[in-house]
Amino acid sequence: MYWNEEIECMDKEQMRKLQSKRLIDTVRRVYENVPFYRKKMEEAGVTPEDIRSVEDLHKLPFTTKMDLRDNYPFNTFACPMEDVVRIHASSGTTGKQTVVGYTEQDLEVWAECVARGMTSLGVTKKDRVHVSYGYGLFTGGLGAHGGAEYLGATVVPASTGNTSRQVQMLVDFQSTVLCCTPSYALYIADEMQKMGITKDQLNLKFGCFGAEPWTEHMRAEIENKLGLEAHDIYGLSEIMGPGVSMDCTEKDGLHIHADHFIPEIINPETGEVLPEGEKGELVFTCITKQALPLIRYRTKDLSRLTWETCGCGRTLPRMEKVTGRCDDMLIIRGVNVFPSQIESVLLEYGQVEPHYMIYVDRKGLLDTMEVHVEMTEELFSDAVRNIEAQEKKLRQRLESVLGISAAVKLVEPRSIPRSEGKAKRVIDNRKLV
Ligand code: DLL
């Protein structure tokens, strides 16, 4: 059990004081150590002296994914490289990934946040935690792993893939907690059915599901199929990874570790801060991170906040389940994909025209993606065999850039509908129910 009562039940006024102190330190640190931040603040006409408490947060400029790309890979880091002990990455909007770094202390805070969240939903050191998030540059695997280990639980680092083997492990090891994307949880349930294994043969009690949007309806379905309590875990690499917030036994919003991250909700069009309870874009400011303390980072995720004390007794602010974004990022089988990444692959490849359409669907339980792109007149008049060979090459290229497979179909020149206004590039037929 990892229960930090002093922080998790801290009186609001005291929390604001703690946040203010940490914010002041962080702003000074990034101003002194990160040329990018100094420039950004100078341009906005703010100095560290202008930031005297959390009330002044709104004076600071926002940070975006584009800023991270422009400073690729390490120029946003606020500590010497020799203090960075781990690197992770997530999808960028085009060719380059978004790179994030952690010091030893950052990793400890991360593990503590995940451990706090797991404790809030009932996990203890007696539990056996099966982690089926991907390990590697993605933060899911090592993030959930670190938290479960910090708690003293037994971790099974299963990672992704080979679902029948995962099911067998769940039966053999009698793991009590499952960490994976909600769609993979349903996939596991489906695989169990195929293998003739019932939920009674498993010993699952809790699930920590996240990395993609899911609904209350899916929660009920997963709970029913796997016989566990399904909980939501939210996070993003830029801020930390999984565990920025998680829902507790009450399942009434996700608790944000406000002693490490200050949340705000803004109007995505105007940037104006919205009052408590209104829906808008989530923005986080990291106030304890050493390697990458992002200031007012725009997540593009839509949610709302409440500071009302939760039924579980925690006073930490809660965010509503994220079910949408205010940009065009797609999450396909848990992997973030920007249409602009696909576009750069197509344009770089040649032999095709810059007219394409991305079809996303959910076949059975798996997300699928098919990219239709117009071929050039020359290719069109070529032999069918050559066209097929080009489709295959493009498919391989897309897979290596996106990290997930996508079908590719080369279509006749001028067959994709042109639009008169904003081009519609994505048709997402998945229904989140
Ligand atoms: O997906 C971190 C993570 C791993 C969270 C495992 C939870 C579990 P990124 O790859 O940087 O990090 O993607 C972050 O994924 O901005 C959201 O749009 C989406 N997302 C993450 N968790 C949730 C969730 C990880 N629980 C982006 N509900 C975020 C809805 C989520 N969307």
Side-chain angles (χ1 to χ4, degrees):
M1 189 168 107
Y2 195 84
W3 167 228
N4 188 338
E5 188 175 358
E6 190 196 337
I7 292 286
E8 294 179 74
C9 295
M10 188 175 258
D11 152 89
K12 276 181 213 129
E13 218 17 70
Q14 243 182 310
M15 179 59 83
R16 287 188 92 72
K17 278 196 192 137
L18 178 67
Q19 287 181 327
S20 296
K21 182 179 169 299
R22 292 180 169 179
L23 176 67
I24 293 167
D25 288 350
T26 303
V27 170
R28 186 161 305 124
R29 204 152 47 81
V30 297
Y31 187 82
E32 279 162 13
N33 298 331
V34 189
F36 151 75
Y37 269 123
R38 177 184 287 253
K39 184 157 170 269
K40 216 172 168 86
M41 284 171 62
E42 278 169 2
E43 277 164 8
V46 226
T47 63
E49 290 68 50
D50 295 326
I51 309 302
R52 276 178 249 125
S53 78
V54 276
E55 309 299 331
D56 297 321
L57 186 60
H58 69 97
K59 296 180 184 164
L60 291 162
F62 294 115
T63 311
T64 63
K65 213 174 182 63
M66 195 64 97
D67 292 323
L68 292 176
R69 193 190 75 174
D70 292 346
N71 290 284
Y72 176 88
F74 307 136
N75 285 343
T76 39
F77 288 9
C79 69
M81 249 347 249
E82 66 195 49
D83 294 341
V84 174
V85 297
R86 171 102 64 83
I87 297 287
H88 279 285
S90 76
S91 312
T93 46
T94 51
K96 299 242 191 285
Q97 287 198 304
T98 303
V99 179
V100 300
Y102 306 77
T103 63
E104 214 174 317
Q105 181 186 302
D106 292 338
L107 288 184
E108 179 160 1
V109 169
W110 185 9
E112 192 203 321
C113 287
V114 176
R116 278 188 202 172
M118 285 185 170
T119 299
S120 79
L121 62 92
V123 183
T124 70
K125 77 184 290 290
K126 293 195 182 131
D127 280 292
R128 214 160 289 156
V129 183
H130 182 107
V131 181
S132 300
Y133 287 116
Y135 281 66
L137 286 169
F138 178 54
T139 52
L142 284 165
H145 184 118
E149 230 171 49
Y150 196 83
L151 201 65
T154 310
V155 188
V156 182
S159 196
T160 50
N162 205 340
T163 312
S164 55
R165 201 175 118 239
Q166 302 239 8
V167 170
Q168 200 56 55
M169 272 198 280
L170 288 169
V171 174
D172 295 346
F173 300 167
Q174 292 288 289
S175 295
T176 50
V177 183
L178 174 63
C179 301
C180 61
T181 60
S183 48
Y184 195 61
L186 285 173
Y187 192 73
I188 288 180
D190 214 39
E191 187 69 26
M192 279 166 52
Q193 207 186 6
K194 278 193 211 143
M195 293 168 70
I197 287 173
T198 63
K199 61 183 173 189
D200 305 327
Q201 289 170 263
L202 307 185
N203 191 24
L204 287 174
K205 290 191 291 185
F206 306 109
C208 302
F209 305 125
E212 64 185 8
W214 55 308
T215 58
E216 288 302 332
H217 183 94
M218 264 176 95
R219 181 177 339 235
E221 197 176 335
I222 297 173
E223 292 189 334
N224 177 34
K225 289 189 166 159
L226 292 177
L228 47 68
E229 293 291 324
H231 288 274
D232 197 359
I233 173 164
Y234 167 88
L236 61 162
S237 326
E238 294 89 326
I239 299 306
M240 176 172 87
V244 171
S245 65
M246 281 170 80
D247 64 12
C248 64
T249 42
E250 301 289 310
K251 296 183 187 158
D252 188 18
L254 292 83
H255 291 279
I256 298 170
H257 302 289
D259 52 325
H260 297 296
F261 319 108
I262 307 179
E264 294 173 278
I265 292 285
I266 62 160
N267 173 332
E269 316 271 296
T270 62
E272 169 208 3
V273 180
L274 297 177
E276 179 171 339
E278 278 192 36
K279 191 156 188 158
E281 181 183 345
L282 252 179
V283 170
F284 286 108
T285 298
C286 302
I287 47 173
T288 53
K289 285 275 283 294
Q290 293 182 320
L292 188 60
L294 294 183
I295 306 287
R296 302 194 85 203
Y297 185 73
R298 293 186 61 161
T299 65
K300 304 279 177 181
D301 290 320
L302 297 172
S303 183
R304 60 180 109 226
L305 292 174
T306 173
W307 280 85
E308 260 175 46
T309 303
C310 178
C312 72
R314 287 178 179 76
T315 51
L316 293 173
R318 276 168 295 152
M319 56 183 257
E320 183 185 74
K321 213 167 178 15
V322 170
T323 48
R325 289 182 55 91
C326 53
D327 69 356
D328 56 359
M329 186 180 93
L330 298 159
I331 305 185
I332 298 182
R333 279 174 259 142
V335 176
N336 302 351
V337 175
F338 289 93
S340 49
Q341 283 177 289
I342 296 179
E343 181 170 305
S344 356
V345 171
L346 298 177
L347 296 185
E348 248 173 61
Y349 188 77
Q351 309 218 49
V352 293
E353 299 289 347
H355 299 292
Y356 61 95
M357 191 69 95
I358 303 163
Y359 294 91
V360 184
D361 212 335
R362 184 161 284 166
K363 301 244 163 71
L365 293 165
L366 271 193
D367 295 336
T368 59
M369 180 163 60
E370 184 164 314
V371 181
H372 289 195
V373 55
E374 287 180 12
M375 49 193 143
T376 54
E377 292 286 355
E378 297 83 74
L379 184 57
F380 184 48
S381 52
D382 212 328
V384 172
R385 219 182 32 236
N386 188 28
I387 296 177
E388 283 169 0
Q390 299 298 337
E391 282 178 340
K392 189 171 169 210
K393 273 200 206 155
L394 250 177
R395 198 169 60 233
Q396 288 165 342
R397 180 82 197 113
L398 274 175
E399 183 164 352
S400 82
V401 171
L402 305 177
I404 51 158
S405 59
V408 174
K409 195 165 169 197
L410 289 171
V411 297
E412 269 181 50
R414 284 174 304 280
S415 63
I416 289 181
R418 306 291 190 257
S419 78
E420 293 179 359
K422 230 167 136 53
K424 187 164 174 54
R425 304 289 198 195
V426 181
I427 296 184
D428 193 341
N429 289 320
R430 290 176 299 183
K431 286 204 176 48
L432 260 194
V433 283

